[in-house]
Amino acid sequence: QAQLVESGGGLVQAGGSLRLSCAASGGTFTFSSYWMAWFRQAPGKEREFVARINWNGGITNYADSVKGRFTISRDNAKNTVYLQMNSLKPEDTAVYYCAARRSLLTQYDYWGQGTQVTVSS
């Protein structure tokens, strides 16, 4: 079983930046074997995909709404995935979740508890 713990959320003005972190732990959880992703859920809306990264960081994908502003990265030595968010907009306000899955053919196996990001105009 794995635990994913997000951190780094907060309140920021539009145009500002935040860096989210997601630390993974668990006795049999091999972080470097998992695709990692970030999702977000705004009030009254469904959870949506933000970005994902493959096991070694060689493949990244982004939602169109964040492309060019957000960067996902990972440090397998630290069992941590990051989301650097620049040029933040009020519409980026949401709870951000990290998730892990073994392959693109499976469902996400693990989810974090989320971290709140609020962007003021």
Side-chain angles (χ1 to χ4, degrees), residues 31-36 53-59 74 76:
F31 180 77
S32 58
S33 297
Y34 283 75
W35 282 77
M36 299 298 297
I53 188 168
N54 78 324
W55 69 275
N56 68 352
I59 300 173
R74 67 190 297 160
N76 287 343

Side-chain angles (χ1 to χ4, degrees), residues 29-81:
F29 180 72
T30 305
F31 180 77
S32 58
S33 297
Y34 283 75
W35 282 77
M36 299 298 297
W38 288 95
F39 288 77
R40 66 186 181 186
Q41 187 167 20
K45 295 187 177 181
E46 293 189 353
R47 187 161 53 190
E48 65 174 359
F49 167 78
V50 175
R52 68 185 179 194
I53 188 168
N54 78 324
W55 69 275
N56 68 352
I59 300 173
T60 57
N61 302 110
Y62 298 90
D64 287 343
S65 58
V66 306
K67 205 170 292 183
R69 300 187 298 121
F70 290 11
T71 303
I72 189 171
S73 61
R74 67 190 297 160
D75 185 338
N76 287 343
K78 295 182 178 179
N79 285 3
T80 301
V81 62

Side-chain angles (χ1 to χ4, degrees), residues 6 17 69 92:
E6 301 95 336
S17 298
R69 300 187 298 121
D92 294 318

